[in-house]
């Protein structure tokens, strides 16, 4: 019971509290309002599945260092140009100064291709290369050069340089260089060729 104080000229009122019974209400739960149930915690002695491991078992493998590809530099030149033109020898030395020459193949004494073939092609063409391979002397010298190059690489060297030369620096020396390059590329060696004095023939592929 509550009693309110009022002024003297006002009548006093007594207030009684009344309790009303409210009907019971059921509020349905909505999905997503509560966090998902926690996963079961594994016992301490139980091992995690292999796919859940953050690190592979055992020692970590060190990354493999890629192997450096071996490189062969081949320079062809004309012996006549080297003798007659001033500065030609300096140009040759400029191309081979970074890597000392392992050997030089002198093709001047080999049988020369026919004149009409020389007028039509240079040593980059198959016609000149097939003519060179028809000479026993040329094949013997090329095989000796290939053996020296292979032995040089097998000794642990990563870089090698050779030279080939003939009178014009266009046919025999160029063809020999291309033959050597094909053989070494088949063995996985990177070959860089520079023909200093080659004259392109009308039948050459490039």
């Amino acid at each position: 019971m509550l009693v309110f104080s009022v002024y003297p000229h006002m009548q006093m009122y007594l207030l009684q509290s009344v309790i009303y019974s409210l009907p019971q209400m059921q509020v349905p739960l909505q999905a997503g309002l509560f966090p998902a149930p926690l996963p079961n915690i594994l016992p301490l002695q139980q091992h995690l599945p292999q796919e859940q491991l953050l690190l592979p078992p055992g020692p970590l493998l060190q990354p493999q260092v890629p192997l450096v590809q071996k490189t062969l530099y081949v320079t062809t030149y004309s012996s006549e140009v080297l003798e007659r033109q001033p500065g030609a020898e300096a140009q040759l030395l400029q191309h081979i100064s970074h890597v000392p020459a392992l050997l030089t193949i002198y093709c001047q004494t080999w049988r020369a291709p026919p004149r009409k073939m020389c007028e039509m092609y240079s040593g980059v063409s198959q016609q000149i290369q097939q003519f060179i391979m028809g000479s026993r002397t040329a094949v013997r010298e090329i095989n000796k050069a290939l053996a020296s190059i292979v032995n040089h690489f097998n000794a642990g060297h990563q870089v090698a340089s050779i030279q080939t030369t003939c009178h014009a620096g266009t046919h025999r020396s160029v063809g020999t260089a291309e033959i050597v390059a094909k053989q070494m590329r088949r063995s996985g060696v990177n070959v860089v060729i520079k023909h200093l004095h080659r004259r392109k023939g009308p039948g050459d592929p490039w």
Side-chain angles (χ1 to χ4, degrees), residues 19 56 66 68 78 103 105 113 120 129 141 143 162 179 183 186:
I19 300 176
V68 179
S78 166
L103 56 90
I105 304 177
M120 189 68 180
Q129 296 175 25
E141 295 299 322
N143 285 334
I162 69 168
I179 293 171
Q183 295 296 325
R186 291 175 183 173

Side-chain angles (χ1 to χ4, degrees), residues 81-82 85 87-96 194 196-197:
V81 172
L82 206 65
Q85 291 187 4
E89 185 175 359
Q91 182 186 13
L92 174 62
L93 294 176
Q94 182 180 1
H95 284 86
I96 64 175
K194 180 64 177 180
L196 295 182
H197 307 130

Side-chain angles (χ1 to χ4, degrees), residues 138-154:
V139 171
R140 181 177 64 251
E141 295 299 322
I142 291 174
N143 285 334
K144 289 171 57 178
L146 289 172
S148 298
I149 297 170
V150 171
N151 291 335
H152 181 77
F153 284 137
N154 288 339

Side-chain angles (χ1 to χ4, degrees), residues 9-197:
H9 65 279
M10 297 181 64
Q11 186 178 359
M12 297 182 61
Y13 294 92
L14 299 178
L15 299 178
Q16 295 182 354
S17 59
V18 180
I19 300 176
Y20 296 92
S21 61
L22 297 176
Q24 295 182 357
M25 300 179 62
Q26 295 181 355
V27 180
L29 298 178
Q30 298 181 7
L33 295 179
F34 297 91
L38 296 176
N40 297 328
I41 299 177
L42 297 176
L44 295 179
Q45 301 298 328
Q46 185 174 350
H47 298 285
L48 290 174
Q50 185 70 23
E51 59 272 9
Q52 296 184 15
L53 294 177
L54 298 180
L55 294 176
L60 296 177
L61 297 178
Q62 297 295 332
Q64 295 183 356
V65 179
L67 298 178
V68 179
Q69 187 178 19
K70 301 180 185 299
T71 302
L72 173 65
Y73 294 92
V74 184
T75 304
T76 69
Y77 66 93
S78 166
S79 58
E80 293 181 354
V81 172
L82 206 65
E83 294 175 359
R84 298 178 182 179
Q85 291 187 4
E89 185 175 359
Q91 182 186 13
L92 174 62
L93 294 176
Q94 182 180 1
H95 284 86
I96 64 175
S97 59
H98 64 292
V99 181
L102 179 64
L103 56 90
T104 301
I105 304 177
Y106 297 95
C107 311
Q108 291 90 336
T109 59
W110 300 357
R111 182 164 54 96
R115 181 177 179 179
K116 291 185 178 181
M117 184 180 294
C118 291
E119 293 175 352
M120 189 68 180
Y121 306 103
S122 71
V124 300
S125 297
Q126 291 292 332
Q127 289 81 351
I128 298 294
Q129 296 175 25
Q130 291 175 0
F131 180 86
I132 293 174
M133 295 302 295
S135 169
R136 293 182 179 180
T137 302
V139 171
R140 181 177 64 251
E141 295 299 322
I142 291 174
N143 285 334
K144 289 171 57 178
L146 289 172
S148 298
I149 297 170
V150 171
N151 291 335
H152 181 77
F153 284 137
N154 288 339
H157 301 282
Q158 300 295 331
V159 180
S161 173
I162 69 168
Q163 305 170 17
T164 62
T165 178
C166 63
H167 292 297
T170 298
H171 304 101
R172 288 168 291 182
S173 61
V174 173
T176 300
E178 295 293 335
I179 293 171
V180 171
K182 289 179 181 178
Q183 295 296 325
M184 298 309 301
R185 284 171 178 151
R186 291 175 183 173
S187 301
V189 177
N190 179 41
V191 182
V192 180
I193 303 181
K194 180 64 177 180
H195 302 303
L196 295 182
H197 307 130

